[in-house]
Amino acid sequence: MNENKKNQSARRKFVKAFLTGSVGAVAGKKLLSSLSAKDENVSDEQITALSSDGKLIKVLKSQVDHPHHKPASPSEARKGIYGKKFVLIVDLAKCKNARKCIDSCEKHHHLTPDRPFIKVLKMQDNPKASPYWMPKKCFQCDNPPCVKVCPVGATYKRTDNIVLIDNDRCIGCRFCMAACPYSARVFNWGKPQTTEDNQAYSPETSVPSKIGTVEKCDFCPDLLRENKLPPCITSCPNGVLYFGDANDDTVTNGEETVRLSELLRDKAGYRYMEDLGTEPNVYYLPPVDRMFPFQDNTEASDV
Amino acid sequence: MTAYKLIISPGIDKFAIYLVLFILQFSMVLAQDKKAHIELDFWEEEGKKYITATASDFDHDSIGAPIEEIELYMYVQRTFSLLPIGDRFNETDENGELTIEFPKDLPGDTIGLVNVIVKIEDADEYADTSFSKVINWGRPLIIDMSENKRELWAAGASAPIYLLILQIP
Amino acid sequence: MSDIITKIERVDLPEKDFENIEDDLLRHISRPSRNYRIWMGILLLIILIGIVAYVRQLKYGLAVTAMRDYTSWGIYISNFVFFVAVSLVGSLVSSILRLSKASWATPLNRISEIIAIAAIICASIIIIVDMGRPDRFLNVFLYGRIQSPIIWDVIIIATYLVISFLLFFVSLLPDIGLCRDRLTNLPKWQKNWYRLLACNWKDKPEQYANLKKIIAILEIMVIPVAFAIHTITSWLFATTWRPGWDSTNLGPYFVSGAFMVGAACIIIAMFFIRKNLRLHEYITHKHFDNMGKLLVLLSLVYLYFNINEYLGPAFKMVGAEGEHITELFVGKYAPMYWLVQLGGLVFPILILIFRPFRKPFPIMIVSSVVLIGAWLKRFLIVIPTLQHTYLPIQDVDESYLHYIPTWEEWAITFASFAGVLLIISVLIKLYPVLPIWEIREQKRLIKAN
């Protein structure tokens, strides 16, 4: 009897020790491998790059320099990034008004809260439908009313779908603000507080802000040139914003990558106020099949 | 069990057990970091396109036995990320092969090239690795650079003709 | 034909001989009187306060105004529309009335052109004041896009200014000749100035013939330009998707409103010039009577377009447009709206139908009411629309929801009014305010018959 008990306890001790040991060993190995450089793949690591005439070429990663590009000057910024057509998809079923997109955008563009590029609005389509949160920024329209009315061509449409503003040319007439039906633009009424005064101005960064000129969401072309996603996309904790290149037929929200055409077809993507004829490049996925009910969790309210 | 009991003396038995087991496990795990090699085959049948990935052991620069039941992640390289292709979970069969269908009508570059990438990630006995191959199964991209189309929203020099004519009076 | 002309003109013009006409109408071109100096002093003071306000605006940016991201256009723009509306008086009187042979209006030709020129100049100034970056004003000419309605407005305003100025100057030539010849006790600079401007006017019949031909061409040219100028200004609003602006009716609505406010302006000008320059025999009760009838006619046309503008949207009450109509009819702006429509439009029509109210003083008061109503109407056209966007306004500072102009905006607005009055006063002082040669011509025609 005693012998059995002793055996049992010994077995238990052994199993415990075995498990602890294996966990410890695996953890130790991971620790080791993270401390040393990941050199298991270095001989295989090739990356594909888009050559200047639109062909895919493969180069060894180690051979490619990743310099931090100087942002494009106002005259260079009029040309779009070759071969791209950027689009944004907003999945309204997932938005919980976390507002991390607004915070990261504010930080990236050195904005103050009174000049938001992104607004998250509480919308309700009709009295019987549930309210939902709708993030809204500039729709980068293909038939842009703001570009049509600008008297000096300070705002312009690029080949990569982006509508940019050249604040070296803007005269502050605010006709574009009156023309935009989506209230996407904000104006620098006073002197913008910015600490980046010594940075060269580029329409692709919209930094530094200039007094008496207009601004809006610019899809962060300075990051796009380096194949990086804009900060609003990656900072969303709920994966609401999907960004991509329509020429690639792919969008990603930082974690999940899907085919654009399938996403819009399967989830009935639509454009806000489609019949105004502005042809936006931002699509919304309807707030159906939600995993959680709508929560009015901020002081946001209609006025 | 009994053998263990016999060797160890009381007092330091627990510590000794843990230490020995730790070293054993550690060496086991380190030693199990095998390298894999994946071969990519592209073939077509009845108008559909397929990719077969064959995973095999890779020992000191020579291809060894096929690996069965290992999970392979297949992607196509896109601008910002990797687009997953194939099914949700792709496992090799007993021959170390995995066949998936290549998506229809996927855009490539201007001459239709796409970069297919297959990865082994977080596998039990194999180190993380990735292989890629470029194939021209993409839809060729037609880049329309007609910036100078005359539109109401174009630059001043590209204004519609009727506006330029009306300017005269 | 000739006895019809004789009949009308006998009632209008006094039986005076030529010399006295010239005396009467040139009398005011003398050293500035004390009243004149006080008047100019007040105007300059108002303009000075406006300049101080503008300097503040240049330093701190447009943040000194009450305009914010939603109400992005304010009283600068509504003032601009108002001035463009007033400037149409030039084409109304000196072209339309002249071409339709309403010879009673001949004395009013010059003053209407003076008002038109002053209004257009101040409209251009106020639009530069509204720009966020006036230092980049030249960009409009360097990089102008012909597709933009603002560029169309710049072109048409420049064209109208040139034609109005030519109409003013060309029809002034004979009278400058007169000034050069008759006025001797003037400072030297003024005499030289007249000699320069007179362009060798010698009072010859061929010169008169050429003059009339040029004036006839200019008169015809100015009418489509006048219609175009206010229609294009209306397109600054009608080419956007804003409730209240997205209307096909906006062009005629603006133009008819402009003619009405122009008529009111001329009546007020007539009253003060008549009083201060003692021209009771040239601007008679008949003039006020006729202008009053004209004002009623133009107001009826404007009333028609007003009903047209609001009935359709009010019947349908679509979305943001419905909210806008509600706000105007029964909401925040209802008191101002009904004051303007009833007090500034319906009331003048009703009261001016009666002859006693078409006497100089009462009609001047009524015209002032019309003028104030017209300015507030332009405010109601510009600001309430901007506060009703398609997408809801949420999470903004309290100041974004209301638009109450700041003292800087009022100061600059009043300075622009003072600017118009200043230009008018200067031009009246320098030149005969009534076209002497035209009145003399008509006198000759009567004498000949």
Side-chain angles (χ1 to χ4, degrees):
Chain A
M1 185 66 168
N2 265 350
E3 181 92 1
N4 269 343
K5 260 214 180 125
K6 270 202 185 150
N7 280 346
Q8 267 186 2
S9 67
R11 244 182 265 128
R12 272 191 217 116
K13 270 205 213 143
F14 177 78
V15 168
K16 216 168 44 169
F18 186 81
L19 287 174
T20 322
S22 37
V23 165
V26 170
K29 181 204 170 279
K30 281 267 180 262
L31 190 69
L32 256 189
S33 55
S34 65
L35 285 176
S36 67
K38 257 214 179 83
D39 51 8
E40 319 102 294
N41 297 332
V42 76
S43 54
D44 300 331
E45 193 72 273
Q46 283 192 313
I47 58 167
T48 31
L50 195 69
S51 70
S52 55
D53 52 356
K55 297 202 193 48
L56 282 176
I57 51 171
K58 286 180 62 165
V59 289
L60 284 177
K61 189 171 185 173
S62 47
Q63 286 179 343
V64 174
D65 237 345
H66 285 285
H68 190 72
H69 298 289
K70 199 164 68 81
S73 72
S75 46
E76 286 164 9
R78 291 197 178 242
K79 298 198 260 290
I81 300 173
Y82 184 80
K84 306 278 184 207
K85 292 245 180 257
F86 297 111
V87 292
L88 179 78
I89 319 286
V90 182
D91 194 349
L92 295 173
K94 294 187 195 161
C95 184
K96 284 191 198 160
N97 196 22
R99 304 179 92 92
K100 296 281 182 285
C101 51
I102 301 178
D103 292 338
S104 62
C105 171
E106 212 175 281
K107 214 158 47 163
H108 183 76
H109 289 284
H110 305 284
L111 296 170
T112 46
D114 61 315
R115 292 175 291 141
F117 284 1
I118 311 177
K119 300 177 183 77
V120 178
L121 303 168
K122 176 173 155 212
M123 305 286 282
Q124 184 165 9
D125 289 342
N126 61 67
K128 292 211 152 76
S130 162
Y132 56 92
W133 297 107
M134 180 168 122
K136 176 201 66 102
K137 21 159 125 175
C138 168
F139 289 166
Q140 320 283 357
C141 306
D142 277 345
N143 186 17
C146 54
V147 174
K148 279 195 232 182
V149 298
C150 180
V152 294
T155 184
Y156 48 88
K157 173 92 179 157
R158 307 198 322 181
T159 53
D160 58 359
N161 274 355
I162 299 181
V163 174
L164 276 190
I165 306 171
D166 177 2
N167 275 336
D168 274 345
R169 204 192 271 193
C170 175
I171 59 173
C173 68
R174 309 186 299 291
F175 199 359
C176 56
M177 292 178 74
C180 177
Y182 311 112
S183 319
R185 290 172 169 243
V186 293
F187 194 73
N188 292 313
W189 299 100
K191 185 140 173 46
Q193 303 145 321
T194 171
T195 50
E196 300 290 319
D197 274 323
N198 49 359
Q199 187 177 340
Y201 171 73
S202 168
E204 294 202 342
T205 54
S206 297
V207 161
S209 301
K210 299 186 178 215
I211 188 175
T213 57
V214 72
E215 290 182 339
K216 64 174 187 68
C217 164
D218 55 8
F219 271 13
C220 296
D222 54 326
L223 295 177
L224 299 181
R225 283 196 192 269
E226 297 174 13
N227 283 345
K228 292 202 196 114
L229 288 169
C232 50
I233 314 291
T234 45
S235 63
C236 177
N238 302 309
V240 172
L241 302 172
Y242 290 80
F243 191 83
D245 176 7
N247 278 349
D248 247 2
D249 196 30
T250 303
V251 289
T252 179
N253 65 359
E255 284 165 3
E256 189 193 343
T257 304
V258 288
R259 275 192 78 171
L260 172 66
S261 47
E262 281 171 17
L263 188 67
L264 291 178
R265 186 191 63 214
D266 295 340
K267 294 210 179 173
Y270 67 92
R271 298 190 288 197
Y272 188 68
M273 294 186 95
E274 173 84 43
D275 27 293
L276 291 184
T278 53
E279 297 176 39
N281 277 306
V282 172
Y283 292 81
Y284 285 95
L285 304 178
V288 292
D289 293 336
R290 303 170 68 139
M291 311 231 267
F292 50 87
F294 170 80
Q295 261 181 322
D296 199 347
N297 57 357
T298 62
E299 12 356 310
S301 55
D302 267 309
V303 283
Chain B
M1 292 284 190
T2 333
Y4 276 114
K5 261 186 85 176
L6 280 173
I7 315 168
I8 293 161
S9 51
I12 57 166
D13 58 344
K14 271 200 208 125
F15 174 72
I17 291 172
Y18 287 132
L19 186 62
V20 162
L21 286 171
F22 181 79
I23 294 171
L24 264 171
Q25 295 297 328
F26 195 75
S27 48
M28 256 166 56
V29 169
L30 268 183
Q32 280 163 10
D33 233 9
K34 287 195 273 190
K35 284 209 179 150
H37 177 83
I38 305 174
E39 202 58 51
L40 284 169
D41 263 316
F42 298 92
W43 51 281
E44 290 184 58
E45 190 181 278
E46 290 169 16
K48 292 194 185 169
K49 300 181 166 68
Y50 297 93
I51 305 175
T52 300
T54 313
S56 354
D57 279 325
F58 191 64
D59 241 344
H60 307 296
D61 295 333
S62 66
I63 296 179
I67 313 167
E68 54 178 79
E69 287 187 15
I70 186 172
E71 204 149 311
L72 297 178
Y73 296 98
M74 313 270 295
Y75 301 104
V76 174
Q77 173 76 53
R78 303 276 84 184
T79 311
F80 297 106
S81 58
L82 301 168
L83 176 69
I85 55 175
D87 301 320
R88 205 171 162 76
F89 296 107
N90 303 305
E91 265 194 7
T92 55
D93 57 12
E94 60 274 9
N95 294 328
E97 283 179 0
L98 165 72
T99 301
I100 58 159
E101 190 180 337
F102 186 78
K104 285 193 261 288
D105 212 23
L106 193 69
D109 65 2
T110 48
I111 52 178
L113 295 177
V114 291
N115 190 19
V116 177
I117 298 172
V118 58
K119 287 193 186 202
I120 292 179
E121 272 172 343
D122 292 334
D124 277 339
E125 303 168 340
Y126 290 89
D128 285 356
T129 184
S130 85
F131 290 83
S132 63
K133 200 162 169 183
V134 174
I135 178 102
N136 74 335
W137 272 357
R139 180 166 39 90
L141 204 57
I142 302 163
I143 298 178
D144 177 17
M145 291 300 280
S146 51
E147 291 172 57
N148 296 322
K149 260 198 295 222
R150 293 191 173 278
E151 294 279 0
L152 266 181
W153 46 261
S158 307
I161 295 275
Y162 55 83
L163 273 183
L164 295 173
I165 293 175
L166 283 172
Q167 197 183 1
I168 297 170
Chain C
M1 181 71 163
S2 55
D3 27 275
I4 299 174
I5 297 174
T6 315
K7 208 157 112 183
I8 297 173
E9 298 193 71
R10 208 166 269 156
V11 174
D12 287 351
L13 293 173
E15 286 295 326
K16 281 190 157 223
D17 57 21
F18 297 151
E19 281 292 313
N20 273 350
I21 292 178
E22 289 165 14
D23 275 336
D24 287 336
L25 297 178
L26 290 174
R27 201 185 312 132
H28 65 280
I29 307 178
S30 54
R31 294 214 185 281
S33 67
R34 201 175 67 99
N35 282 345
Y36 187 76
R37 282 187 220 266
I38 293 175
W39 170 243
M40 294 298 267
I42 296 173
L43 289 180
L44 284 171
L45 181 67
I46 298 174
I47 292 177
L48 187 66
I49 298 176
I51 291 178
V52 166
Y54 187 55
V55 166
R56 263 183 69 84
Q57 184 179 295
L58 283 177
K59 186 161 166 210
Y60 296 111
L62 285 166
V64 301
T65 69
M67 294 188 278
R68 293 293 178 263
D69 278 344
Y70 289 97
T71 323
S72 48
W73 278 344
I75 60 173
Y76 292 154
I77 296 286
S78 67
N79 209 22
F80 167 75
V81 178
F82 176 74
F83 279 149
V84 174
V86 166
S87 74
L88 253 70
V89 71
S91 62
L92 171 69
V93 170
S94 69
S95 298
I96 295 179
L97 285 182
R98 211 193 266 181
L99 281 175
S100 53
K101 301 271 191 276
S103 45
W104 59 268
T106 307
L108 305 173
N109 286 342
R110 192 159 297 152
I111 186 64
S112 66
E113 288 300 333
I114 290 176
I115 297 175
I117 292 172
I120 278 285
I121 290 175
C122 286
S124 316
I125 293 176
I126 201 84
I127 205 73
I128 297 175
V129 165
D130 180 66
M131 278 166 62
R133 293 299 294 254
D135 55 312
R136 295 181 183 169
F137 178 66
L138 282 179
N139 281 357
V140 173
F141 303 104
L142 291 173
Y143 300 113
R145 279 178 74 246
I146 192 66
Q147 297 104 314
S148 167
I150 283 187
I151 297 290
W152 306 340
D153 218 11
V154 168
I155 294 176
I156 201 71
I157 285 182
T159 311
Y160 187 68
L161 181 60
V162 166
I163 297 183
S164 290
F165 179 75
L166 279 175
L167 260 178
F168 169 66
F169 181 65
V170 166
S171 57
L172 190 63
L173 273 176
D175 290 346
I176 294 188
L178 197 63
C179 293
R180 175 197 59 190
D181 298 332
R182 287 271 322 258
L183 298 173
T184 43
N185 58 338
L186 286 177
K188 196 149 193 322
W189 67 266
Q190 203 164 350
K191 284 200 272 202
N192 284 337
W193 176 247
Y194 287 141
R195 188 168 319 138
L196 185 68
L197 277 186
C199 299
N200 235 5
W201 180 261
K202 291 273 191 287
D203 251 1
K204 292 203 205 115
E206 313 88 74
Q207 284 183 323
Y208 271 108
N210 278 342
L211 193 77
K212 286 195 204 144
K213 248 188 271 182
I214 294 174
I215 290 180
I217 296 173
L218 286 173
E219 270 169 19
I220 298 175
M221 264 173 72
V222 86
I223 293 177
V225 175
F227 273 84
I229 194 180
H230 219 45
T231 309
I232 291 179
T233 305
S234 81
W235 287 344
L236 288 179
F237 304 101
T239 50
T240 66
W241 275 288
R242 299 273 175 172
W245 290 356
D246 188 11
S247 158
T248 52
N249 192 35
L250 224 59
Y253 176 55
F254 271 40
V255 172
S256 54
F259 281 134
M260 185 188 96
V261 80
C265 261
I266 261 255
I267 293 173
I268 300 176
M270 269 161 57
F271 179 82
F272 284 105
I273 288 170
R274 179 182 191 251
K275 197 157 84 83
N276 292 333
L277 301 179
R278 293 188 295 275
L279 296 172
H280 299 86
E281 284 130 1
Y282 298 92
I283 303 177
T284 61
H285 281 211
K286 192 70 188 166
H287 288 91
F288 285 97
D289 197 45
N290 285 342
M291 278 308 293
K293 288 183 199 156
L294 189 59
L295 182 59
V296 172
L297 175 67
L298 293 170
S299 301
L300 281 169
V301 175
Y302 188 49
L303 180 66
Y304 163 72
F305 281 110
N306 258 293
I307 295 173
N308 222 11
E309 174 73 16
Y310 291 105
L311 187 104
F315 193 83
K316 295 179 293 195
M317 295 299 267
V318 176
E321 189 132 59
E323 281 170 31
H324 177 240
I325 295 278
T326 310
E327 185 105 327
L328 283 181
F329 283 15
V330 296
K332 195 162 64 168
Y333 290 106
M336 199 194 292
Y337 182 77
W338 293 115
L339 176 74
V340 164
Q341 297 288 58
L342 295 175
L345 185 56
V346 175
F347 163 75
I349 294 175
L350 293 175
I351 207 169
L352 288 179
I353 294 178
F354 302 106
R355 183 175 260 266
F357 289 100
R358 292 202 293 272
K359 293 247 171 35
F361 186 71
I363 201 175
M364 188 275 291
I365 299 289
V366 173
S367 296
S368 307
V369 170
V370 169
L371 204 66
I372 295 172
W375 194 89
L376 290 173
K377 187 72 197 295
R378 268 90 192 148
F379 179 92
L380 285 173
I381 286 174
V382 173
I383 280 98
T385 290
L386 288 167
Q387 292 175 339
H388 293 283
T389 50
Y390 284 129
L391 284 162
I393 302 177
Q394 296 169 357
D395 296 327
V396 291
D397 188 53
E398 188 66 25
S399 63
Y400 278 47
L401 306 173
H402 313 288
Y403 177 70
I404 301 169
T406 57
W407 79 263
E408 285 96 342
E409 286 178 279
W410 285 124
I412 292 177
T413 306
F414 279 114
S416 67
F417 295 148
V420 172
L421 292 172
L422 184 78
I423 296 176
I424 295 175
S425 305
V426 166
L427 287 176
I428 291 178
K429 193 68 183 163
L430 281 178
Y431 307 110
V433 67
L434 301 184
I436 300 176
W437 68 275
E438 288 186 63
I439 298 176
R440 207 165 47 194
E441 282 259 319
Q442 285 183 335
K443 277 295 296 172
R444 244 185 227 133
L445 275 169
I446 301 172
K447 278 266 158 99
N449 295 321

